[in-house]
């Protein structure tokens, strides 16, 4: 039987839990594929910078120089804005709804349609759940507190904060801590309790705001070069899909388990104060997110197609979610 | 031995031969990588090269290179650096080695603003080397002191190695940064002691300013000179470190505050002319590209090393591990040290650490302490002849009369000091863990 | 020999011009970052494109500076053995390495980068951050031009040393600066 050796680059620093190493990670996915295929498909995983820098793996997979890349689709928003939607949508849906859309609302099909020009096949492989707003040096009580606030916030959310008057700062991972600690920036966003604690952000700022309106269901992806994918026999393709699904679930649940412990630790032992974004701030951000996405949809037919698919699905799902999940969380629990 | 492992050894040999023949470092390392990578792997591998080159060219932290080099050249061309060192020499009076000690201090201050070794070494040698040589310092001692204090930026926060280690080891960046401060300062103290002792034993190695010359400067004049000569550099230190501590600038931005500060100071002192500016910019360009080219070129070598499965070669080597906790630690130290001869620290970390870390985790080793050992060890590998990058950087920035042979000789005592520092850290882990525990960042 | 030197002169004049131009970008970089820091600190003003411009300029400086640095003969070498060679041997080493190592390496790097640039161009790649810089393929072309310029300087270097060798080892007034 033919065996295959694939190379997979990732956007993650070596050793990063959940993303690169350990349960739910790129390495866990590769190991699972190898085990399930009894060694017929071996995937060698390279961390960011090992073969190519963090954000170059997508192009490498697209050109067929490596077979796979593990990352998050919103990193490629500069190549095609529609990619933003498959990772997560500001004020979109949490894991349940987002993945319901991906798997059963046409999301994955659209994803592959958007990536067709890039010559890659995509599938979800992990989900961080609802992230956190981020770390603030001082409490923020109203929209006006955001005016002139200096915040490390990359990507689409930066645009929405900028609408509130936030001075958006881009910083590499390693400079976030010193900059926040010394007050060069007033706030910083990373992921959630477990991964944030790993960066030591609880030592740099004490106000930890919820909720991750900007990243309610951040979903990792693998992309596979079309040619490499087509060469795989049907059973190996099925194994790759099954391994991706299994890793997706494993990562979500593992991180959810860890986040609870990390949050309690930071509150109990590091004097971290949990706070919720004020309603008027949420309202202003929601308005900004709506217009930003609608503007983008108006400009590009592909974005429009994905946008409408997502929000049409959301309309129905929200109603159901309201009477099931939300009711349970707010009145029963 | 598999073909590819033979090729990776031949690749290394060809690099050494070309280097010895006098082919410029960057071309020698690139062509060795390209030729053997093509033989062993075919052209596909190097399609990854542009991504890596682009990653270097657009690497945010490497902005420290042109910025600090600009600051250094500006201070050199305007003679501000020379004045400062002369004043320090006068203040040191009869005490020999005074200027050498000043270099270590400047190295510590710059290391606290960047983790880019090329930037600190080159800047220090621009600022100080000509004056030290003019004052009769031994070439070896002068270049050794600059290389050693320049590599302090590697361990003193912000440190790129520690950021990578924090990812690999799961310790927070903040904790590792705090843990690195004492070991870094300990090394600096060892350098200072060494310079003073050497200068005391051998009068000609690091001479004081001659008594006759010192006699010409009255006490009152000296105070005025101190204010005039040392004030501008102190302002610069304030611009760089003050802007970090005061929360004005992030670390890499602070390098720009230093560069801008130098421009302002030179302008105020009336030494800024069109020709000084023009020359400064051209020298900065040349020195920056000299550093960047070595980093660009080494991408081809690293890529070929990975493509040829060089990590398997090291994996086989791992079977030689003698066993036991200390045996493994010492083995790892030796391995890091040897690999440091020809690979960049980042490649070493990627290849060696994943192989050995699971063992240390299982053995319950304190990861913060281990991170410091690794960091200090990799720092030393920057210095080791014949391929320590620090040596190439200083050679590129030094006046032509400084030969690489004397640089090689000059760093050896400092490597010895590093080994002593490493041994102290091995014996007394508190050197690393005391501070983070004291401020409550480590349990 | 005169022809070879003339050709080298022409190539080097071009490199000299690009290098002088590039050197001014360093001043722009210093001012760009310093002004951003001061504006952010004083009136909390900042822009994503300006932050991205910082490392865009680094790419231009480091890549276009390579050839100028080669012209100034400032790329480092280990000269322990080299120092001991005769002038003639050194000229042979220089000519040989310029023709068979330096120039091919540069043009190979430049050629490899073409596909990389085309990829960015055809996908219309822009910054993934809203408010960031667009037309990323332009930035990436500096890989091609940077290494091509270095290759040109290496050709000039080869011509000079061939001229020296043909001339019996004696250079004229145009020997490498
Ligand atoms: Na996030
Ligand atoms: Na540092």
């Amino acid at each position: 039987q033919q065996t295959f050796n694939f190379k997979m680059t990732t956007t993650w620093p070596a050793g990063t839990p959940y993303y690169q190493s350990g349960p739910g990670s790129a390495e866990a996915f590769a190991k699972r594929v190898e085990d399930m295929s009894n060694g017929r498909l071996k995937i060698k995983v390279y961390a960011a910078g090992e073969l190519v820098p963090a954000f170059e793996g997508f192009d490498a997979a697209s050109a067929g120089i490596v077979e796979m890349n593990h990352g998050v689709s919103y990193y490629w928003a500069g190549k095609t804005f529609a990619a933003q939607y498959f990772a997560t949508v500001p004020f979109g849906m949490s894991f349940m709804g987002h993945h319901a859309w991906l798997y059963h609302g046409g999301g994955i099909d659209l994803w592959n349609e958007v990536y067709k020009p890039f010559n890659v096949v995509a599938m979800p492989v992990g989900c961080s759940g609802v992230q956190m707003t981020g770390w603030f040096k001082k409490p923020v009580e109203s929209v006006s507190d955001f005016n002139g606030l200096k915040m490390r916030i990359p990507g689409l959310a930066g645009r929405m904060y900028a609408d509130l008057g936030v001075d958006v700062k881009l910083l590499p991972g390693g400079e976030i801590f010193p900059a926040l600690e010394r007050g060069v920036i007033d706030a910083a966003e990373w992921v959630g309790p477990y991964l944030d604690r790993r960066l030591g952000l609880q030592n740099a700022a004490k106000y930890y705001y919820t909720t991750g309106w900007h990243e309610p269901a951040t979903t990792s992806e693998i992309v596979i070069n079309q040619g490499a994918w087509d060469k795989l026999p049907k059973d190996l393709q099925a194994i790759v899909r099954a391994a991706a699904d299994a890793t997706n679930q494993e990562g979500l649940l593992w991180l959810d388990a860890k986040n609870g412990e990390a949050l309690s630790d930071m509150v109990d032992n590091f004097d971290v104060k949990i706070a919720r974004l004020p309603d008027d701030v949420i309202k202003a951000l929601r308005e900004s997110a709506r217009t930003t996405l609608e503007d983008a949809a108006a400009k590009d037919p592909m974005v429009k197609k994905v946008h409408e698919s997502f929000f049409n699905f959301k309309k129905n799902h929200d109603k159901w979610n309201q009477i099931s999940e939300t009711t349970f969380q707010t009145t029963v629990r | 031995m598999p073909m590819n492992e033979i090729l990776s050894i031949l690749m290394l040999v060809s690099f050494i031969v070309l280097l010895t023949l006098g082919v410029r470092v960057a071309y020698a390392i690139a062509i060795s990588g390209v030729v053997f990578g093509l033989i062993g792997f075919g052209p596909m591998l190097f399609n990854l090269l542009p991504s890596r080159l682009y990653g270097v060219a657009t690497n945010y932290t490497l902005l420290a290179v042109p910025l600090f080099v600009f600051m250094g050249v500006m201070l050199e061309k305007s003679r501000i650096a020379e004045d400062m060192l002369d004043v320090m020499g006068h203040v040191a009076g009869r005490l020999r080695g005074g200027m050498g000690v000043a270099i270590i201090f400047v190295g510590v201050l710059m290391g606290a603003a960047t983790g880019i070794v090329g930037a600190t070494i080159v800047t220090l040698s621009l600022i100080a080397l000509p004056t030290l040589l003019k004052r009769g310092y031994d070439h070896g001692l002068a270049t050794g002191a600059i290389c050693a204090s320049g590599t302090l930026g590697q361990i003193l926060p912000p440190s790129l190695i520690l950021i990578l280690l924090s990812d690999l080891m799961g310790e927070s960046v903040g904790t590792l940064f705090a843990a690195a401060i004492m070991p870094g300062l300990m090394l600096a103290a060892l350098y200072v002691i060494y310079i003073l002792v050497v200068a005391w034993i051998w009068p000609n190695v690091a001479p004081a300013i001659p008594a006759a010359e010192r006699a010409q400067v009255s006490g009152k004049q000296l105070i005025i000179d101190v204010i005039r000569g040392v004030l501008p550099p102190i302002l610069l230190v304030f611009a760089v470190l003050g802007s970090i501590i005061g929360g004005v600038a992030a670390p890499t931005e602070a390098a720009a505050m230093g560069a801008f500060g130098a421009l302002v100071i030179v302008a105020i002192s009336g030494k800024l002319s069109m020709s000084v500016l023009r020359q400064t910019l051209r020298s900065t360009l040349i020195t920056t590209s000299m550093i960047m080219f070595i980093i660009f070129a080494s991408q081809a070598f690293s890529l070929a090393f990975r493509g040829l499965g060089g990590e398997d070669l090291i994996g086989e080597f791992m079977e030689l591990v003698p066993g036991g906790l200390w045996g493994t630690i010492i083995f790892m130290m030796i391995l890091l040290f040897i690999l440091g001869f020809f690979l960049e620290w980042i490649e070493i970390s990627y290849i060696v650490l994943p192989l050995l870390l699971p063992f240390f985790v299982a053995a319950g080793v304190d990861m913060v302490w281990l991170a410091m050992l690794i960091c200090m060890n990799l720092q030393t590998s920057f210095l080791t002849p014949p391929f320590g990058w620090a040596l190439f950087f200083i050679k590129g920035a030094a006046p032509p009369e400084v030969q690489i042979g004397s640089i090689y000789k000059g760093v050896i005592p400092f490597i010895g000091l590093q080994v002593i520092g490493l041994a102290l850290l091995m014996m007394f882990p508190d050197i690393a863990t005391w501070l983070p525990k004291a401020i409550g960042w480590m349990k | 020999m005169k022809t070879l030197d003339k050709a080298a002169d022409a190539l080097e004049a071009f490199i000299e011009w690009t290098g002088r131009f590039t050197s001014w970008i360093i001043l722009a970089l210093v001012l760009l970052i310093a002004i951003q820091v001061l504006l952010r600190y004083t009136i909390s003003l900042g822009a994503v494109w300006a932050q991205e411009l910082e490392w865009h300029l680094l790419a231009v400086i480091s890549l276009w500076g390579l050839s100028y640095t080669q012209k100034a003969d400032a790329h480092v070498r280990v000269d322990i053995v080299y120092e001991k060679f005769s002038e003639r041997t050194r000229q042979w080493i220089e000519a040989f390495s310029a023709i068979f190592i330096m120039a091919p390496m540069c043009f190979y790097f430049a050629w490899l980068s073409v596909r990389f640039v085309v990829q960015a161009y055809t996908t219309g790649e822009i910054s993934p951050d809203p408010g960031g810089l667009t037309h990323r393929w332009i930035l990436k072309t500096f890989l091609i031009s940077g290494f091509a310029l270095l290759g040109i300087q290496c050709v000039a270097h080869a011509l000079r040393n061939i001229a020296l060798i043909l001339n019996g080892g004696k250079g004229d007034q145009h020997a490498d600066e």
Side-chain angles (χ1 to χ4, degrees), chain A residues 59 78 148 155 167-168 170, chain C residues 40 44 51 115 119 123 126 129:
Chain A
D59 282 354
D167 178 10
V168 172
L170 309 173
Chain C
R40 188 184 63 226
S44 283
Q51 295 176 51
R115 159 195 199 140
Q119 201 176 17
T123 58
I126 61 170
D129 287 298

Side-chain angles (χ1 to χ4, degrees), chain C residues 146-169:
Chain C
F147 283 102
L149 285 172
L150 181 57
I152 290 171
Q153 178 55 40
C154 291
V155 169
H157 190 64
L159 295 175
R160 282 234 193 281
N161 282 285
I162 293 169
L164 279 172
I165 291 167
L166 295 178
N167 212 10

